[in-house]
């Protein structure tokens, strides 16, 4: 099933993200975690591509597995910045062969060793290059992309960032998933601006439940997200008590999701980080709201 069919069906959706194992030996434990999340029958699941230290090799194995064994629609991430055109073409063909219908087309972070290179010689400079290649492949994929309510860290300003976002949509990106954010007002503001810029595709709000204090610094470093005082107080109070912090982090994420649904944001993607218990608690906190 195409993700846009889920996003446009007029119902609220809740989906989860998982990542592939960092090493071959970790495959079984990651597979187990992804199966446990798939058993919750979320609206769909996305599988990252090499992000957060996960290897890219297993992205399609996990996506195929979840789809076939649990009937859960999957969204396979694909990055392009450090890949040649040939590699990207092979990946796209492999996805099609395995019956993957949905791809999140990303640039990927620039590896440190490539930062000082002349970028004009690269096969792919931006996600839009990958979107063009997927379209040109002729395969029938539903293509998504990433967007940044607090602007992408490399962007000069929000206007530029939104201009490039529009280029991705015009190239064939059919929905956008946001970077994590901890203050919903940032998303509401962003939505107003992108709609004004003529971007009308569905926006999926990305929510990261922070379940331990160590995750906070990492999340800020990765995303540059603003931490509201309400969230900081919670970490100050419960950060040294793992169980309390987990409960508080899940409650905060749940509260954010309820506010999003209440304000007309129908589609929420939870960065569940291979944690079935966190995914399960969030889903059960929303059971009556989602009718599950
Ligand atoms: P782009 O859309 O190419 O944008 C990158 C920057 O370039 C932006 O500042 C943009 O404004 C600018 N730009 C775009 N086009 C132009 C242009 N024509 N001229 C000048 N500037 C331009 N990383 C992974 O490695 N694996 C994953 O699985 C993964 N999943 C992700 C999922 C989501 C929902 C999100 C939000 C991020 C994910 N990332 C992942 C991280 C992502 O790869 C990085 O944030 C990366 O730095 C940017 O990727 P992008 O696709 O948004 O890039």
């Amino acid at each position: 099933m195409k993700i846009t069919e889920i996003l446009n069906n007029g119902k609220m959706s809740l989906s989860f993200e998982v990542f592939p194992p960092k090493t071959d030996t970790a495959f079984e434990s990651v597979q187990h975690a992804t199966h446990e999340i798939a058993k919750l029958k979320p609206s769909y699941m996305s599988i990252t591509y090499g992000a957060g230290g996960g290897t890219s090799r297993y992205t399609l194995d996990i996506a195929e597995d979840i789809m076939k064994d649990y009937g859960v629609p999957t969204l396979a991430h694909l990055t392009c910045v450090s890949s040649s055109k040939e590699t990207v073409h092979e990946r796209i063909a492999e996805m099609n062969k395995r019956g993957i219908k949905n791809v999140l087309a990303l640039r990927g972070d620039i590896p440190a060793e490539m930062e000082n290179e002349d970028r004009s010689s690269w096969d792919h400079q931006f996600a839009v290059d990958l979107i063009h290649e997927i379209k040109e492949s002729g395969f029938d994929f539903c293509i998504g992309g990433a967007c940044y309510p607090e602007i992408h860290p490399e962007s000069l300003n929000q206007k530029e960032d939104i201009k490039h976002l529009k280029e991705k949509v015009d190239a064939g990106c059919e929905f956008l998933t946001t970077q994590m954010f901890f203050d919903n007002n940032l998303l509401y503001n962003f939505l107003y601006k992108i709609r004004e810029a003529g971007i009308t595709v569905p926006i999926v709000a990305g929510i990261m439940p922070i379940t331990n204090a160590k995750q906070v610094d990492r999340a800020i470093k990765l995303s540059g997200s603003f931490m509201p005082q309400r969230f900081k107080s919670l970490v100050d109070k419960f950060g040294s008590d793992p169980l309390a912090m987990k409960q508080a982090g899940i409650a905060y994420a749940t509260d954010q999701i309820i506010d999003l649904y209440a304000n007309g944001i129908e589609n929420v993607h939870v960065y569940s980080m291979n944690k079935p218990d966190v995914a399960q608690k969030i889903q059960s906190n929303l059971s009556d709201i989602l009718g599950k």
Side-chain angles (χ1 to χ4, degrees), residues 3 7 15-17 44 46 75 77 103-106 143-149 165 168-169 173-181 187 190 194 201-207 267-271:
I3 299 296
L7 304 181
S15 50
F16 295 120
E17 180 176 292
Y44 66 92
S46 83
L75 168 62
H77 295 203
V103 51
L104 196 73
L106 300 147
I143 306 172
C147 65
Y148 302 82
L165 190 59
K168 291 204 282 198
V169 173
C173 183
E174 296 169 73
F175 67 95
L176 295 163
T177 306
T178 75
Q179 179 59 286
M180 66 183 86
F181 56 90
L187 180 75
F190 175 69
I194 62 169
V201 295
I203 302 296
V204 182
I207 296 296
N267 302 300
V268 176
H269 194 57
V270 176
Y271 295 117

Side-chain angles (χ1 to χ4, degrees), residues 17 47-52 77-79 104-110 125-128 145-148 151-157 160-162 164-165 167-168 177-180 222 269 271:
E17 180 176 292
I47 303 91
T48 65
Y49 187 82
H77 295 203
L78 181 64
T79 65
L104 196 73
L106 300 147
R107 185 196 68 179
D109 284 325
I110 313 241
Q125 282 194 60
F126 303 109
V128 70
C147 65
Y148 302 82
I151 85 170
H152 184 270
E154 288 165 37
S155 287
L156 293 175
N157 55 53
E160 276 293 303
D161 209 23
I162 292 177
H164 296 311
L165 190 59
E167 287 162 5
K168 291 204 282 198
T177 306
T178 75
Q179 179 59 286
M180 66 183 86
L222 265 178
H269 194 57
Y271 295 117

